[in-house]
Amino acid sequence: MDKKRVTLEEIFSPRGVAVVGASEVSLEGKVSFGGLVALGLVMAGFPAVYPVNPKFEKLLDLPCYPDLLSIPGPVDHVVVTIPAEGSLDLLDQCAAKGVRSVHFFTAGFGESGEEDRADLERAMLERARSGNFRIIGPNCVGLYVPKSRVVNAPNAPLEPGSIAFVSQSGGHAQNLPPFGASRGLRYSKVVSYGNALDVDECELLDYLTEDPETEIIAAYIEGVRDGRRFIDSLARAARRKPVIVYKGGRTEAGRRAAFGHTASMTSSVAVFEAACRQVNAIQVDNTDEMIDVLAALRFMRGIPAGPNAAVVGGGGGPSVLASDDMEIEGLRVPRLSSAVQEELRSRLPLAGSIFTNPVDTNNMVVPDVISFTMRTVGRSPDIDMIVYHMGFHPIGSWGLGRFSTPAFLESAVEAILGAQEEIGKPVLMVLRPPQDLEGMKEYLAVQEALVQAGLPVFLSLRDMARAVRRIIAWKGRTRTRG
Amino acid sequence: MDKKRVTLEEIFSPRGVAVVGASEVSLEGKVSFGGLVALGLVMAGFPAVYPVNPKFEKLLDLPCYPDLLSIPGPVDHVVVTIPAEGSLDLLDQCAAKGVRSVHFFTAGFGESGEEDRADLERAMLERARSGNFRIIGPNCVGLYVPKSRVVNAPNAPLEPGSIAFVSQSGGHAQNLPPFGASRGLRYSKVVSYGNALDVDECELLDYLTEDPETEIIAAYIEGVRDGRRFIDSLARAARRKPVIVYKGGRTEAGRRAAFGHTASMTSSVAVFEAACRQVNAIQVDNTDEMIDVLAALRFMRGIPAGPNAAVVGGGGGPSVLASDDMEIEGLRVPRLSSAVQEELRSRLPLAGSIFTNPVDTNNMVVPDVISFTMRTVGRSPDIDMIVYHMGFHPIGSWGLGRFSTPAFLESAVEAILGAQEEIGKPVLMVLRPPQDLEGMKEYLAVQEALVQAGLPVFLSLRDMARAVRRIIAWKGRTRTRG
């Protein structure tokens, strides 16, 4: 065979996508994953979506085809949502149609634990080799490539970005982008690869290491077949770009779930963690932490030189809580020098204020007070970063509804940016989300303004502190190695 | 003196409230706490609010009085927001007017660290003793008693409930009710007592121990003056009702902030924790945990007999994550027996499902599937509770927008309640909140239906597991002693 193997680069920009097994999306009874995938592609504006299902003549206002070969235009990518039993016949059609890649949304293969399903997987892989196309999955949600308008579900964000996410889990691949969207996280490529029959985590990491569109790589891994090869790929990637790894199956119950999920024999957590440390990947414990680390890496104005934070924001009790949360998670809240305290005291009201660090002053929502306070504490040589925390809730103890005035919000954001610029140290914003709709409206408006201004936003002090502590440790190891 | 000292019961149902120092609520410059308090009382429908400020004739469409003695009707409670310097004169007016209680919102007393301010506090206490009224604070937000329509800020929820919260911090006293409101938490009395010049945590605990309107007591404490007396009060309370304690100032930085906040010399964390364990109070690490423990205590259908949970919900990756999160936080996710697994397998689709525990089946949003799955796993003798987790996000991988149909939501909730009733074990709902407005609308609708049905709702598996683990341990100690 002298045919060149299809590359991932080719897979990521298909001319036409067929969705085999698409049917009507309805609120009753069974979920049509195929219908949802087709709907997602249409909503994303992908220009050549071909539903395939002999039961329908039209679907989502598109012509629906009885089989792959009836499709008039070129089909580079096929999404499969029919039961596993029909896989081999379908792959024969794929070869005849000359596709580049076949993504099996369908589950019920090797991960089911049934021996005949493992045999089926082997036969599928042979079909792919001889037909010169690649298989993604099975048992996953496949591709999300915003630049190409290829999505893994309806309503996926369409703006491309510089983060790549390689995920053995489809759920995490679908969840990470929307959950981080309001915090400004955007993606170059997200690939859910499930059982990793053909395209696996190593090939993906190798590709992303060289991909000029990707600046940060995140990975969710349940298990790997070839540990040595994986560590080599991870090491190469981590030398070039920040790599964040979340290893699923850290507990006995988690390992059992991972086996049922993708047939992964998850390796020992200790071995995996040691390997990640060795190659200097950033490890996280769950997808929320992954989003926090991504937000910090993507938006922090440089990495803090050390763990010492000045904490500013509103409320005495919240300041006590902030101090405890920060220090419990490994950052430090050092006492400000007497000189800095005196300077704060000279301009801010005494009553109801705390100046030692945290700094609590009632008017920390007024631009002048923001500006003065942040510049004063930020100039202190004992401080590596400023953390600005604020609560949002219907009683309005913080903000008092001020930030619903666009002009006020704009000047507050400008004050924060100006202070960050002057002191040359990162500012981290912690906005505790409210639990009511009115509050959420104001919250999202504030969050959007901060993100647009290029500031990292976190949902809790603990989450922020944990993420920043991990990044400082990672940077320290990077420096040590030169 | 044979005058009977004013009781807390009398303070909690004032006939008239004066707000001294109220001024206009504006978006510019200075915050008028007095104006906000008055506004809150008016919005809450409190019938007799009297703003006091010589600068205004009217405020918030109410007559504004130059001093306390000009107010025509009875004034039982006075909220003070003028600077500390005017305190003694004001207290002389209070004595002349015959008020029952004076709440100093004003800060800048003993907690400022200035010696003359400590002297001022002592003089204030003498005035209160001779004038036969009580002082709440200074440096706090005072009372929130929904039954009496007395609130500590605008927009406080007005429906009364069975939880009491005693808080040294005003911020936490204002935050806890709204943050827990959507999860069904309602309050009998919330008292923020700040510097505890007169009314202190011990008197409050003693009152709430006997209060028939209070079933659960929560407390935020930075420091106490008389440790022996506090432990006695706490012990009496904890023998009668569940008591949840969050001790602020667990770290060096937190202790420094607590001193700046309420002049509290926070005691050793180890000593405090040992004392809480000894009297069997439930300790938490922050206000979010407090809300989680309250939601569990208030709504769980009995306390789980042990730590073994069946986890049901959607997604392979999320199931791995759920297992890890639960076990890391100290609950257990035991493998289901072969018989239970076989029963699940006989009725649910094989492809894409996990049956071992967690149980992941794609149709876990369909009432019949919910009902069958929960009854089957719940009947297992190895299981002490069922945890149902679901994600909400714009891509719609869970729910697929179904729960925006009221009829569908209703039947799903009925299926959950029916299963809980049959198996006689608690069901805990974990709903991960989305980060967009459309998602939040659906989320809040689902949350409200679940809460109305009497189910406990949590925002993350970790939070739920930590709260339930604490409650199981507390119950275990109760049993041992009982």
Side-chain angles (χ1 to χ4, degrees):
Chain A
M1 276 205 285
D2 56 357
K3 277 189 285 190
K4 202 173 137 287
R5 194 162 87 140
V6 174
T7 64
L8 292 180
E9 186 64 33
E10 290 170 295
I11 292 177
F12 291 139
S13 47
R15 287 166 297 172
V17 176
V19 184
V20 180
S23 66
E24 280 167 336
V25 177
S26 91
L27 285 182
E28 307 307 320
K30 272 188 72 172
V31 176
S32 166
F33 286 116
L36 284 172
V37 172
L39 177 63
L41 289 165
V42 170
M43 286 171 67
F46 186 81
V49 186
Y50 304 109
V52 175
N53 189 335
K55 291 187 198 142
F56 300 97
E57 297 216 330
K58 288 200 99 170
L59 213 58
L60 304 168
D61 282 331
L62 297 171
C64 186
Y65 300 90
D67 53 47
L68 270 187
L69 295 171
S70 315
I71 296 171
V75 173
D76 290 331
H77 185 62
V78 179
V79 180
V80 183
T81 66
I82 58 170
E85 291 75 8
S87 303
L88 294 181
D89 286 349
L90 180 73
L91 290 182
D92 288 337
Q93 283 185 47
C94 290
K97 183 71 185 169
V99 310
R100 294 178 188 161
S101 51
V102 183
H103 151 221
F104 280 85
F105 205 116
T106 308
F109 290 90
E111 85 284 359
S112 65
E114 314 281 329
E115 188 47 44
D116 61 329
R117 294 305 172 95
D119 292 342
L120 176 59
E121 280 195 349
R122 279 185 286 272
M124 288 159 64
L125 190 56
E126 279 166 28
R127 293 286 205 288
R129 296 275 182 266
S130 64
N132 196 35
F133 56 81
R134 309 297 306 275
I135 291 177
I136 297 163
N139 183 25
C140 68
V141 304
L143 307 180
Y144 165 47
V145 187
K147 187 192 63 173
S148 305
R149 299 187 172 266
V150 173
V151 295
N152 58 19
N155 300 328
L158 287 178
E159 190 192 349
S162 59
I163 300 164
F165 181 39
V166 173
S167 173
Q168 197 155 7
S169 149
H172 292 326
Q174 288 184 317
N175 286 349
L176 205 68
F179 270 109
S182 64
R183 295 161 69 185
L185 303 183
R186 297 291 183 275
Y187 292 82
S188 56
K189 283 109 187 176
V190 174
V191 183
S192 145
Y193 64 91
N195 295 8
L197 177 60
D198 178 13
V199 172
D200 66 10
E201 68 288 342
C202 297
E203 184 177 0
L204 287 163
L205 283 174
D206 292 345
Y207 168 83
L208 295 169
T209 301
E210 305 296 330
D211 179 28
E213 291 172 357
T214 297
E215 288 169 16
I216 307 173
I217 301 171
Y220 170 73
I221 309 278
E222 290 181 356
V224 298
R225 283 214 189 80
D226 182 343
R228 170 51 44 202
R229 195 173 140 241
F230 172 67
I231 294 299
D232 285 348
S233 291
L234 194 66
R236 270 194 305 275
R239 274 197 295 273
R240 294 276 296 277
K241 300 173 182 181
V243 178
I244 306 156
V245 179
Y246 164 33
K247 164 78 169 67
R250 305 171 71 76
T251 62
E252 175 50 35
R255 280 189 283 280
R256 196 168 59 234
F259 185 74
H261 179 215
T262 53
S264 290
M265 298 295 288
T266 64
S267 49
S268 146
V269 175
V271 171
F272 193 94
E273 290 189 347
C276 283
R277 237 187 341 266
Q278 192 197 321
V279 306
N280 205 18
I282 304 172
Q283 288 179 80
V284 294
D285 285 341
N286 53 53
T287 45
D288 288 336
E289 268 191 54
M290 185 170 264
I291 290 173
D292 291 324
V293 170
L294 286 170
L297 281 172
R298 175 71 185 74
F299 291 109
M300 262 196 308
R301 191 192 186 285
I303 291 166
N308 299 300
V311 177
V312 300
S319 291
V320 177
L321 177 51
S323 311
D324 284 348
D325 278 354
M326 298 271 293
E327 300 225 330
I328 285 167
E329 292 299 340
L331 293 187
R332 296 212 56 244
V333 185
R335 180 191 282 273
L336 293 168
S337 69
S338 306
V340 173
Q341 288 191 47
E342 276 313 309
E343 198 178 341
L344 292 171
R345 202 177 271 264
S346 73
R347 292 263 305 266
L348 297 172
L350 177 71
S353 294
I354 308 175
F355 298 120
T356 47
N357 192 20
V359 175
D360 166 29
T361 175
N362 292 314
N363 284 321
M364 196 63 195
V365 289
V366 176
D368 284 352
V369 177
I370 292 175
S371 192
F372 167 73
T373 306
M374 292 181 81
R375 284 165 202 246
T376 305
V377 300
R379 276 195 296 265
S380 166
D382 312 328
I383 293 302
D384 303 311
M385 71 195 100
I386 295 180
V387 174
Y388 185 162
H389 66 112
M390 44 174 117
F392 278 78
H393 60 74
I395 283 187
S397 76
W398 191 89
L400 307 167
R402 286 153 187 265
F403 280 179
S404 48
T405 316
F408 192 93
L409 173 56
E410 198 180 311
S411 55
V413 173
E414 266 171 31
I416 295 168
L417 281 185
Q420 179 174 255
E421 193 54 37
E422 183 187 302
I423 63 176
K425 296 170 186 175
V427 172
L428 300 123
M429 302 297 300
V430 179
L431 276 70
R432 187 186 190 197
Q435 280 288 305
D436 70 297
L437 211 56
E438 278 309 302
M440 198 69 183
K441 273 183 202 164
E442 186 185 342
Y443 180 88
L444 290 172
V446 174
Q447 197 186 46
E448 191 183 349
L450 293 167
V451 167
Q452 288 295 329
L455 289 161
V457 177
F458 304 86
L459 308 191
S460 86
L461 280 151
R462 289 203 163 193
D463 296 341
M464 180 281 301
R466 204 176 302 135
V468 171
R469 188 238 303 154
R470 286 191 197 280
I471 291 171
I472 292 174
W474 164 77
K475 185 70 178 179
R477 291 192 302 266
T478 309
R479 256 194 298 265
T480 312
R481 285 158 207 203
Chain B
M1 275 202 286
D2 55 358
K3 277 190 283 187
K4 205 173 136 282
R5 196 163 86 140
V6 175
T7 64
L8 292 180
E9 185 65 33
E10 290 170 297
I11 292 177
F12 290 140
S13 46
R15 287 165 299 171
V17 177
V19 184
V20 180
S23 66
E24 279 166 335
V25 178
S26 93
L27 286 181
E28 307 307 321
K30 273 188 72 174
V31 176
S32 166
F33 287 116
L36 284 171
V37 172
L39 177 64
L41 289 165
V42 170
M43 287 171 65
F46 186 81
V49 186
Y50 305 108
V52 176
N53 189 334
K55 290 186 199 143
F56 300 97
E57 297 217 331
K58 286 199 102 172
L59 213 58
L60 305 167
D61 282 330
L62 297 170
C64 186
Y65 298 91
D67 51 48
L68 270 186
L69 295 171
S70 314
I71 297 170
V75 172
D76 290 331
H77 186 62
V78 178
V79 180
V80 183
T81 66
I82 58 170
E85 291 75 8
S87 304
L88 294 180
D89 286 348
L90 179 72
L91 291 182
D92 288 336
Q93 284 185 47
C94 290
K97 182 72 183 170
V99 309
R100 293 178 188 161
S101 51
V102 183
H103 152 220
F104 280 85
F105 205 116
T106 308
F109 290 90
E111 85 286 359
S112 66
E114 313 281 327
E115 189 47 44
D116 61 328
R117 294 305 171 96
D119 291 341
L120 175 60
E121 281 195 348
R122 278 184 287 271
M124 288 159 64
L125 190 56
E126 278 166 29
R127 294 284 205 288
R129 296 277 181 266
S130 64
N132 197 35
F133 56 81
R134 308 297 306 275
I135 291 177
I136 298 163
N139 183 24
C140 68
V141 304
L143 307 181
Y144 165 48
V145 187
K147 187 192 64 173
S148 305
R149 301 189 172 264
V150 172
V151 295
N152 58 20
N155 300 329
L158 287 179
E159 191 191 349
S162 60
I163 300 165
F165 181 39
V166 173
S167 174
Q168 196 154 9
S169 150
H172 293 325
Q174 287 184 318
N175 287 349
L176 205 68
F179 272 108
S182 63
R183 295 161 69 187
L185 303 182
R186 297 292 183 275
Y187 292 81
S188 56
K189 283 108 187 175
V190 173
V191 183
S192 144
Y193 63 91
N195 295 8
L197 177 60
D198 177 13
V199 172
D200 66 10
E201 68 288 342
C202 297
E203 185 177 358
L204 288 163
L205 283 173
D206 293 345
Y207 168 83
L208 295 170
T209 302
E210 304 296 330
D211 179 28
E213 291 171 358
T214 297
E215 289 170 15
I216 307 173
I217 302 171
Y220 170 74
I221 309 278
E222 291 181 356
V224 298
R225 283 213 189 83
D226 181 343
R228 169 51 43 201
R229 195 174 140 239
F230 171 68
I231 294 299
D232 285 348
S233 292
L234 194 66
R236 270 195 304 274
R239 275 197 295 273
R240 293 277 296 278
K241 299 172 184 182
V243 178
I244 306 156
V245 179
Y246 163 35
K247 164 77 168 71
R250 306 171 71 76
T251 62
E252 175 50 34
R255 279 189 284 281
R256 197 169 58 234
F259 185 74
H261 180 216
T262 52
S264 290
M265 297 295 290
T266 65
S267 48
S268 146
V269 176
V271 170
F272 193 95
E273 290 189 347
C276 283
R277 237 187 342 268
Q278 191 198 322
V279 306
N280 205 18
I282 303 172
Q283 288 179 81
V284 294
D285 285 341
N286 52 52
T287 45
D288 289 335
E289 270 192 52
M290 186 170 265
I291 290 173
D292 291 323
V293 170
L294 286 170
L297 281 172
R298 175 71 185 77
F299 291 109
M300 262 195 309
R301 192 192 185 285
I303 291 167
N308 299 300
V311 177
V312 301
S319 291
V320 177
L321 177 53
S323 311
D324 284 348
D325 278 354
M326 299 270 294
E327 299 225 330
I328 285 166
E329 292 298 338
L331 293 186
R332 296 213 54 245
V333 185
R335 180 190 284 273
L336 293 168
S337 69
S338 306
V340 173
Q341 288 192 47
E342 276 314 309
E343 197 178 342
L344 292 171
R345 200 178 272 265
S346 72
R347 292 264 304 268
L348 297 173
L350 177 70
S353 293
I354 309 175
F355 298 121
T356 48
N357 192 20
V359 175
D360 166 29
T361 175
N362 292 315
N363 284 321
M364 196 62 196
V365 288
V366 175
D368 285 352
V369 177
I370 292 175
S371 191
F372 167 73
T373 306
M374 292 182 80
R375 284 164 201 248
T376 306
V377 300
R379 275 195 296 265
S380 166
D382 311 328
I383 293 302
D384 303 310
M385 71 194 102
I386 295 180
V387 174
Y388 185 163
H389 67 113
M390 43 174 118
F392 278 79
H393 59 75
I395 283 186
S397 76
W398 191 88
L400 307 166
R402 286 154 187 264
F403 280 177
S404 49
T405 315
F408 193 93
L409 174 56
E410 199 181 312
S411 56
V413 172
E414 266 170 31
I416 295 168
L417 280 185
Q420 179 173 257
E421 193 54 37
E422 183 187 301
I423 64 176
K425 295 171 186 173
V427 172
L428 300 124
M429 303 296 301
V430 179
L431 277 70
R432 188 184 190 200
Q435 280 290 304
D436 69 298
L437 211 56
E438 278 309 305
M440 198 68 185
K441 272 184 203 164
E442 186 185 342
Y443 180 90
L444 290 172
V446 173
Q447 197 186 46
E448 190 182 349
L450 294 167
V451 167
Q452 288 295 330
L455 289 161
V457 176
F458 303 86
L459 309 192
S460 87
L461 280 152
R462 289 202 163 193
D463 296 341
M464 180 281 300
R466 203 176 302 135
V468 171
R469 189 239 302 155
R470 284 191 197 281
I471 291 170
I472 292 173
W474 163 78
K475 185 71 178 180
R477 290 191 302 265
T478 309
R479 257 194 295 267
T480 313
R481 284 157 207 204

